[in-house]
Amino acid sequence: MQRYSRQIILPEIGEKGQEKLLNAKVLVVGLGGLGSPVAVYLAGAGVGTLGLLDSDAVELSNLNRQVIFSTEDIGKKKAAAAAQRLKRLNPDIKINEYVLRLGQDNIRGIISDYDIVVDCSDNFPTRYLANDACVLAKKPLVHGAIYQFEGQVTVIKPGQGPCYRCLFAEPPPPGSIPSCQEAGALGAIAGIIGMIQATEAIKLILGVGQPLIGKLLVFNALEMSFRKVDIPQNKKCSVCA
Amino acid sequence: MIEIVVNGNNRQMPPDASIANLISQLKVKPQVCVVEVNGKIVSRDEYCTRYFKHGDQIEIIRFMAGG
Ligand SMILES: [Zn+2]
């Protein structure tokens, strides 16, 4: 427990809170710029079971932002390389590796083993799939996304607030939004958004504070502003209504 | 002119300005954002016919999926 002594001192955590963290199971979907800090901070905090899901291998162009990987990891599967790094950081936690893409066929089975899902993916189909499956399975989902110097975070807690589709009912037309590969991505921006996602996941596990349920936190690094925008619940939402 | 609040910043608009006018001024494509007026999402087919009132709070929320 000495490993966690600095956070056990926090009155909101204590020994009881640390037990909750050690018993928690969190699935990290996507091990890119967001998933890297999410996985590192959750492992450090002692989240007892971490699922690491990504089908890709580490590439040189990932390393400006995907801080969980090192140059010698290039070519390795991200889930395996991240698991190796986290085991060195915290050998006490259990890590499950998933080298696959989430799809309709596998998502329900995978998320059923976890208490919380953190969406760190890099594409709209996965984001809508994760939202829909988490709403149906009543799993809390911590959503985060970045675009150039901006980012967004929200917490979807089925039954207690709106879902992703309440705000963004349908995906934008394919090709209308450039990916990180096309639009560019700065590591520090992904780090800020990922660390907020990790913080929200920890708050949900502990049951402390006010998670971003029904709120979209909008970050703009050029203005260096954070704003909270209300997400209205759509009474006709195709998923959560 | 009327004053509205767009993403937290005050903005002057002519009294007959619509959502379509605002997002074109801001060079935002309608298909890459969601617009809320006073906390309610406005559907895209109303952008040309939805006019602002003094004091309206507008949020233009961009679609983003990067990770
Ligand atoms: Zn919904």
Side-chain angles (χ1 to χ4, degrees):
Chain A
M1 282 303 204
Q2 199 176 353
R3 172 186 290 274
Y4 311 114
S5 57
R6 293 299 185 276
Q7 63 195 46
I8 290 174
I9 296 171
L10 296 168
E12 288 80 1
I13 299 185
E15 304 259 348
K16 264 195 176 154
Q18 190 59 48
E19 280 304 314
K20 288 184 189 170
L21 290 167
L22 288 164
N23 290 325
K25 298 174 182 168
V26 177
L27 177 67
V28 183
V29 176
L31 297 167
L34 298 173
S36 289
V38 167
V40 169
Y41 281 95
L42 294 183
V47 169
T49 304
L50 275 181
L52 306 177
L53 189 150
D54 202 305
S55 62
D56 292 343
V58 180
E59 295 175 31
L60 179 59
S61 63
N62 298 153
L63 298 182
N64 78 317
R65 63 194 188 282
Q66 301 182 14
V67 293
I68 199 167
F69 306 119
S70 307
T71 305
E72 61 259 36
D73 293 325
I74 292 167
K76 292 182 196 160
K77 288 294 182 188
K78 287 183 172 181
Q84 216 175 23
R85 159 90 193 272
L86 296 184
K87 280 175 197 155
R88 287 206 302 271
L89 169 64
N90 189 348
D92 302 339
I93 63 171
K94 183 166 182 266
I95 295 168
N96 301 321
E97 299 166 33
Y98 302 91
V99 182
L100 49 81
R101 273 188 94 83
L102 275 185
Q104 293 284 3
D105 52 324
N106 58 20
I107 188 166
R108 287 171 73 178
I110 293 171
I111 67 174
S112 69
D113 292 333
Y114 294 91
D115 311 315
I116 295 172
V117 178
V118 186
D119 185 356
C120 302
S121 66
D122 61 356
N123 64 86
F124 286 107
T126 303
R127 293 184 178 285
Y128 281 88
L129 182 71
N131 175 73
D132 299 357
C134 285
V135 170
L136 286 176
K138 300 191 165 58
K139 299 278 178 191
L141 173 67
V142 182
H143 167 95
I146 55 167
Y147 178 79
Q148 296 182 336
F149 287 88
E150 292 171 57
Q152 297 174 348
V153 185
T154 187
V155 172
I156 293 143
K157 194 146 185 222
Q160 290 186 30
C163 80
Y164 186 64
R165 275 189 200 270
C166 288
L167 179 62
F168 298 120
E170 293 298 330
S176 60
I177 315 270
S179 66
C180 283
Q181 201 178 339
E182 296 148 353
L186 183 63
I189 309 298
I192 288 165
I193 297 300
M195 282 186 235
I196 293 170
Q197 288 181 277
T199 308
E200 289 297 279
I202 289 169
K203 281 163 60 186
L204 289 172
I205 294 166
L206 297 172
V208 301
Q210 291 87 41
L212 289 165
I213 299 169
K215 309 268 179 201
L216 184 74
L217 184 72
V218 179
F219 171 60
N220 182 319
L222 296 177
E223 297 174 3
M224 202 44 87
S225 63
F226 284 98
R227 304 185 56 249
K228 271 196 257 182
V229 178
D230 287 327
I231 304 175
Q233 186 134 25
N234 179 359
K235 293 196 180 76
K236 292 178 191 158
C237 177
S238 60
V239 174
C240 76
Chain B
M1 296 296 262
I2 57 167
E3 193 164 275
I4 60 174
V5 182
V6 180
N7 292 356
N9 300 313
N10 293 340
R11 190 177 183 94
Q12 305 278 333
M13 293 294 285
D16 57 349
S18 67
I19 293 178
N21 298 136
L22 174 68
I23 61 175
S24 99
Q25 272 185 16
L26 296 171
K27 300 190 172 67
V28 181
K29 290 191 209 119
Q31 65 270 28
V32 304
C33 68
V34 162
V35 178
E36 277 184 16
V37 177
N38 302 327
K40 291 211 172 77
I41 294 170
V42 179
S43 97
R44 281 194 196 112
D45 46 25
E46 291 172 36
Y47 286 2
C48 292
T49 53
R50 180 64 189 263
Y51 303 101
F52 297 120
K53 293 188 307 289
H54 185 79
D56 274 348
Q57 304 270 342
I58 320 299
E59 297 290 343
I60 299 170
I61 306 164
R62 189 188 271 284
F63 271 101
M64 57 180 78

